[in-house]
Amino acid sequence: MKVSGKKSILINYIYIHIPFCLRKCNYCSFYSEKFTSDLKNRFVSFLIKEINQVKQRFKIKPLTIYFGGGTPSLLDVSDIQKIISQFDLSQVQEITLESNPKNITSVFVQKLSETPINRISLGAQSFIDSELNLLGRLHNSEQISRAFELIRNQGFNNISLDLIYGLPNQKMLDVQFSLERIIELNPEHVSLYCLNLEENVLLYSKKHLIPEDEVIAGFYDLIRRELISSGYEQYEISNFAKKGFESKHNLCYWSDKLYLGFGPSAAGYFVNTRYTNPADLEEYFGAIKTSQIIGNLVSLTNEEHEKEFIFLSLRKTKGINLKEFENKFQKDFLEKYRKTIDKYLDNNFLEIEGEFIKLTPKAYFISNEIFSEFM
Ligand code: SF4
């Protein structure tokens, strides 16, 4: 199905999936292909065609652009510049490049600083080399620190680090060790990932060595407390930032904003409709050749939209804005979900503050259970 006549829809948030990695990590189920320069060049030329096809159907004025992957730092800086220049940047506030410490060189960051990229998300994951090995990461802890310093010294003042926890055989002291290194580096933003192994990843064979839920909840609690006492604000269940450095792009996903995804496997959302590009490079190229990109549209019913709004808003520490809910769905949230709300207010998993209803910190780790009761 083709989308036509949507030029009146204004889109402010753009995700671009760069589907290449040097090697597959042992825990990763994101779509990516082995990097070769030829395939990357072919991809970039199709990506630019895709952007221009979609631009004919939507009014696009990005506030944020997010290069995710895969490994966007495998692109040449000239590719990044060429991709960014396809968009009207007159209102842009944040352009993020996910980067692998392995690819960060002084020449790369120096050239990057001459582009409009103003936020780097560095896939640190852990500062213990045996953990990085287990995860199949290509970098070691020293390379993370070196990459971080190169980026910082080049003048980037908005850097995010990722931390994975809940690894096979992991102990509290291991989590604490990586966390302390992160706090020493003093990034503006920290994203947490609780390891979740799908059956198709190499590390799945070690799933039985993952600590019990209560132990992992303890890891989460430690990370949360330490980050907050080091000056970070928690603005989402797994995201922490220094004041003013919340990821504007990621907030769009939790705030019911419209966004477009470019590149294979990228997803988009506009006016009660979702789509996902083919998670296969050749199929993706084919869809662009035949102008069938943004096919497979999935319409959301009002009920589905409402459920998504609830669980995405509850991921934010601010919670659901009750007035916004009423305006969007023409109903009173507290009335409609009275029974579930009462149950969780009684045991202090939910609280109401002014116009917002939100999870309490003790509910964060078991948030999925709570969300399911609203579904
Ligand atoms: S570098 Fe990132 S996207 Fe690539 S395999 Fe590793 S975790 Fe997955």
Side-chain angles (χ1 to χ4, degrees):
M1 189 190 343
K2 283 210 290 184
V3 183
S4 54
K6 303 280 184 195
K7 189 78 183 171
S8 57
I9 300 177
L10 173 66
I11 303 284
N12 295 128
Y13 300 90
I14 299 298
Y15 174 78
I16 300 174
H17 190 80
I18 308 299
F20 302 107
C21 292
L22 290 175
R23 188 181 75 189
K24 197 81 188 160
C25 298
N26 297 341
Y27 60 100
C28 177
S29 41
F30 288 127
Y31 173 64
S32 66
E33 297 280 346
K34 191 163 171 44
F35 175 82
T36 69
S37 206
D38 285 351
L39 194 56
K40 182 270 292 175
N41 289 340
R42 205 165 152 229
F43 162 72
V44 171
S45 67
F46 271 100
L47 175 66
I48 289 183
K49 281 190 196 130
E50 180 193 13
I51 294 171
N52 285 294
Q53 285 180 9
V54 175
K55 263 165 59 176
Q56 290 174 14
R57 307 183 211 163
F58 294 89
K59 199 166 150 195
I60 305 177
K61 269 199 186 264
L63 296 175
T64 69
I65 300 176
Y66 192 101
F67 286 86
T71 311
S73 52
L74 284 172
L75 292 175
D76 293 328
V77 174
S78 57
D79 296 323
I80 296 170
Q81 187 66 276
K82 204 163 149 195
I83 297 165
I84 294 175
S85 67
Q86 304 305 309
F87 296 100
D88 171 351
L89 300 180
S90 59
Q91 293 181 7
V92 85
Q93 297 171 357
E94 180 188 282
I95 309 184
T96 302
L97 188 81
E98 278 185 358
S99 303
N100 190 317
K102 183 85 183 164
N103 319 123
I104 298 296
T105 62
S106 55
V107 176
F108 182 79
V109 287
Q110 192 268 322
K111 286 189 186 163
L112 207 58
S113 69
E114 292 163 8
T115 74
I117 299 276
N118 58 9
R119 183 172 184 271
I120 307 284
S121 172
L122 197 59
Q125 317 306 356
S126 162
F127 280 77
I128 299 177
D129 286 343
S130 58
E131 287 188 353
L132 290 168
N133 252 329
L134 179 75
L135 293 168
R137 301 290 300 185
L138 281 169
H139 59 86
N140 58 31
S141 56
E142 201 188 315
Q143 286 169 319
I144 306 171
S145 304
R146 203 166 55 224
F148 187 94
E149 295 305 339
L150 282 174
I151 296 165
R152 182 62 96 211
N153 292 340
Q154 193 59 53
F156 285 94
N157 69 352
N158 192 354
I159 310 177
S160 179
L161 291 181
D162 293 344
L163 173 68
I164 290 191
Y165 65 101
L167 274 56
N169 288 326
Q170 195 173 42
K171 305 281 181 296
M172 189 72 95
L173 280 177
D174 301 328
V175 176
Q176 189 151 19
F177 181 85
S178 290
L179 184 61
E180 280 168 9
R181 302 292 82 73
I182 287 183
I183 291 169
E184 276 166 16
L185 287 173
N186 199 22
E188 283 67 33
H189 188 280
V190 179
S191 290
L192 308 182
Y193 293 88
C194 184
L195 186 69
N196 175 28
L197 299 172
E198 309 268 340
E199 273 179 44
N200 60 348
V201 302
L202 264 179
L203 207 54
Y204 188 76
S205 61
K206 297 216 169 12
K207 194 175 164 77
H208 60 288
L209 299 175
I210 288 181
E212 297 291 318
D213 276 358
E214 305 83 75
V215 177
I216 300 180
F219 295 168
Y220 175 78
D221 194 47
L222 169 85
I223 299 169
R224 219 189 130 254
R225 278 187 288 110
E226 294 279 317
L227 286 175
I228 290 171
S229 69
S230 304
Y232 292 87
E233 283 178 15
Q234 183 172 20
Y235 67 101
E236 193 266 349
I237 290 174
S238 299
N239 284 278
F240 299 78
K242 297 277 179 71
K243 203 166 183 52
F245 287 96
E246 299 83 4
S247 162
K248 293 182 172 66
H249 184 82
N250 287 342
L251 273 168
C252 93
Y253 299 130
W254 306 308
S255 307
D256 202 35
K257 305 284 189 207
L258 312 187
Y259 56 89
L260 291 175
F262 295 91
S265 81
Y269 168 63
F270 55 90
V271 199
N272 285 354
T273 307
R274 293 202 172 283
Y275 70 89
T276 309
N277 281 348
D280 174 281
L281 263 184
E282 291 306 325
E283 265 184 58
Y284 164 75
F285 294 159
I288 296 167
K289 276 187 205 152
T290 54
S291 297
Q292 294 287 325
I293 205 73
I294 310 195
N296 300 326
L297 298 179
V298 180
S299 299
L300 295 182
T301 62
N302 280 344
E303 191 68 13
E304 286 165 337
H305 181 200
E306 182 180 320
K307 305 288 181 201
E308 286 206 0
F309 180 84
I310 293 170
F311 90 83
L312 290 171
S313 299
L314 281 176
R315 289 198 62 89
K316 293 185 290 185
T317 52
K318 260 172 112 175
I320 298 174
N321 182 326
L322 296 169
K323 280 241 165 73
E324 188 186 354
F325 183 91
E326 187 164 354
N327 288 339
K328 265 185 204 285
F329 304 106
Q330 306 301 314
K331 56 186 91 155
D332 186 313
F333 180 77
L334 298 179
E335 244 171 52
K336 173 154 182 198
Y337 297 97
R338 171 55 60 201
K339 224 170 122 203
T340 310
I341 291 168
D342 281 348
K343 172 175 158 191
Y344 287 117
L345 283 175
D346 285 350
N347 56 19
N348 287 329
F349 283 115
L350 278 176
E351 64 182 336
I352 296 175
E353 197 179 280
E355 288 179 358
F356 288 84
I357 182 161
K358 58 185 186 178
L359 298 181
T360 61
K362 76 169 190 168
Y364 292 161
F365 193 74
I366 54 148
S367 54
N368 284 339
E369 262 172 57
I370 299 175
F371 299 156
S372 67
E373 297 238 5
F374 286 100
M375 297 301 120

